[in-house]
Structures are given as structure tokens and as C-alpha cells.
């Protein structure tokens, strides 16, 4: 005769199956979510990774303080949320700035790199003289004419002619520009240089500026009163 042994489970015994591992998975998942939310808050909303140092480079005429004020970057602004494009636009609005770049580096540094406008000539106005750069942009008024900069004489409101004159000035180089009293033009194809010693240089159009600029010092060395480089293949003096 065989006997069957019956075993009765009581409520105190642990259930079989995956209950405990499942609870652990839920807890771990929740911890990961909380950690992720904390990391987002830490980086994007707290001042832990906020702006504490602003470095400025490339300034010569403008001061670093002026550029930093124009950037208008608040201390403590989270780097991850800093609108660098807007800061660049604010710096670009400074009259003496040709371009600006704003970058960030963790944990707390903002770097501003500027390229300042370089004057190549001036335009006479009632208040003094306006500085003009290689693009023809008139960007700052000064009371007295800076030494070594020619006077640009062009019809008012003619951006094309002013731009053409600026490209000629840029091709000449600083040493030669310092010997020029004025660069005059009624239109972009009829540019004339008046040297400080009275020599008149017919430049013509701004085509082949580099070649004309290389020829001019040699032609001026002959002591001529008139020089024509409008056709650099056949320059002549009188």
C-alpha cells in the first residue's frame, strides 16, 4: 500500500515567481529617471554650470569691458541655455566690430572673440571725420583726421562707389596709403588718387587692384606729376 503525503502551504511562506525582481526593476527605473531629471536640472537650470568667467580676445581699440557689456551675458546663466547667437548679434552692433564669435566651455567659461574694423580712410562730415573700413562701412566719427588715412571723396549715398574706393585703399597697403591725400571717384570706374606731394594718379576701375598697387611705387619714384595705371598692361607717366 502506498501513502500520499499532503503538504499544506501557509500564508507565511514566500510566494514563488518574479515578484521581488519586478519590484527591484521598478525601483531601479525610478531611480534612473530621478537621476536623469536631476542631471537636466543641474546642467540646464541651476547655476552650478552657470557663467562665472567671461574671456574677451581680439580687442584693440575697444575695451574688453565694453565688449562684455554689449554681450549682456548675466552671471550665473546656465551655459546650456545661453543664446550665443543673440550675444554675437549684440556685440556685432558695436560700431567698431566687424564680427564676433561667442563660445562656451564647461564648467563656467564664456569666450568672446572679436574682429575689429580697421580704418583705411575717412569721409569728411560736419562733426569731423567718419572712419571707413575695407568694406566701405562708415562706422565711427572722430573729431580730427587720423594720420596716415586718405580722405575719401565720393558722392553722398553711393555705396557702390564708396565700396570701390575702399577696395583700392585696401590694395595699396599702409605705407602707400600714408602718402595719399585723397582718393576721389564720381563713379566706381573713375577713381583718382591725389598724392600728398601733388602727383595725380589715374586709377580707373577697381579691377586688377593688386597689380596696379605693385606698379605704383615704381612709377611714383620717377618724380612724375601724373601717373596712369588705369590699364596696368600699359602704364605711363607725365
Amino acid at each position: 500500500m502506498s501513502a500520499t503525503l499532503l503538504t499544506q502551504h501557509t500564508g507565511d511562506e514566500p510566494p514563488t515567481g518574479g515578484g521581488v525582481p519586478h519590484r527591484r526593476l521598478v525601483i531601479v527605473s525610478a531611480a534612473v529617471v530621478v537621476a536623469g531629471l536631476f542631471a537636466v536640472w543641474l546642467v540646464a537650470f541651476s547655476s552650478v554650470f552657470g557663467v562665472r568667467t567671461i574671456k574677451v580676445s581680439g580687442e584693440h581699440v575697444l575695451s574688453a569691458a565694453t565688449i562684455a557689456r554689449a554681450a549682456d551675458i548675466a552671471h550665473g546663466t546656465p551655459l546650456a541655455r545661453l543664446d550665443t547667437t543673440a550675444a554675437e548679434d549684440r556685440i556685432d552692433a558695436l560700431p567698431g566690430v566687424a564680427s564676433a564669435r561667442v563660445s562656451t566651455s564647461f564648467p563656467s567659461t564664456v569666450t568672446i572673440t572679436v574682429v575689429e574694423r580697421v580704418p583705411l580712410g575717412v569721409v569728411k562730415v560736419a562733426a569731423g571725420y567718419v572712419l571707413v573700413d575695407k568694406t566701405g562701412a562708415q562706422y565711427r566719427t572722430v573729431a580730427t583726421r587720423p594720420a596716415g588715412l586718405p580722405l575719401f571723396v565720393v558722392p553722398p549715398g553711393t555705396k557702390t562707389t564708396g565700396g570701390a574706393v575702399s577696395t583700392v585703399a585696401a590694395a595699396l597697403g599702409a605705407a602707400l596709403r600714408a602718402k595719399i591725400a585723397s582718393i576721389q571717384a564720381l563713379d566706381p570706374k573713375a577713381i583718382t588718387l591725389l598724392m600728398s606731394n601733388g602727383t595725380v594718379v589715374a586709377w580707373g576701375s577697381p579691377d586688377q587692384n593688386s597689380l596696379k598697387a605693385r606698379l605704383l611705387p615704381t612709377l611714383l619714384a620717377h618724380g612724375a606729376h601724373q601717373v596712369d595705371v588705369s590699364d596696368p598692361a600699359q602704364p605711363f607717366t607725365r
Side-chain angles (χ1 to χ4, degrees):
M1 178 181 294
S2 61
T4 302
L5 180 63
L6 299 178
T7 304
Q8 184 177 2
H9 292 283
T10 67
D12 295 333
E13 297 177 357
T16 59
V20 172
H22 177 69
R23 284 198 299 271
R24 290 176 178 171
L25 179 60
V26 171
I27 293 171
V28 171
S29 298
V32 170
V33 171
V34 171
L37 292 174
F38 177 75
V40 170
W41 172 84
L42 188 67
V43 173
F45 295 95
S46 79
S47 61
V48 174
F49 293 106
V51 178
R52 288 194 293 274
T53 303
I54 297 178
K55 298 179 179 180
V56 179
S57 64
E59 78 282 8
H60 299 288
V61 177
L62 296 171
S63 68
T66 297
I67 295 168
R69 280 196 301 270
D72 194 21
I73 299 172
H75 183 83
T77 301
L79 293 184
R81 298 175 60 200
L82 180 62
D83 190 341
T84 56
T85 299
E88 289 170 351
D89 290 342
R90 291 191 290 269
I91 299 167
D92 283 338
L94 290 172
V97 173
S99 65
R101 181 176 181 272
V102 177
S103 60
T104 61
S105 56
F106 284 92
S108 59
T109 301
V110 173
T111 300
I112 300 172
T113 305
V114 298
V115 176
E116 291 187 351
R117 297 185 186 277
V118 177
L120 298 182
V122 297
V123 173
K124 185 72 177 72
V125 294
Y129 297 87
V130 181
L131 304 180
V132 186
D133 74 354
K134 65 180 181 180
T135 68
Q138 301 180 17
Y139 63 93
R140 182 186 295 129
T141 301
V142 294
T144 57
R145 178 176 168 183
L149 295 182
L151 179 68
F152 291 172
V153 182
V154 296
T158 55
K159 291 184 178 180
T160 301
T161 302
V165 166
S166 296
T167 62
V168 171
L172 293 171
L176 193 52
R177 279 197 303 273
K179 299 178 181 179
I180 298 173
S182 65
I183 304 178
Q184 307 174 16
L186 293 178
D187 65 67
K189 296 182 179 180
I191 298 172
T192 300
L193 280 56
L194 177 61
M195 308 303 296
S196 298
N197 64 1
T199 300
V200 177
V201 179
W203 191 273
S205 74
D207 297 333
Q208 303 184 73
N209 277 340
S210 297
L211 177 56
K212 294 176 182 179
R214 289 197 300 270
L215 292 172
L216 186 56
T218 300
L219 298 172
L220 291 173
H222 295 161
H225 295 293
Q226 292 183 351
V227 176
D228 193 320
V229 292
S230 56
D231 180 1
Q234 295 180 318
F236 64 88
T237 62
R238 292 178 183 172

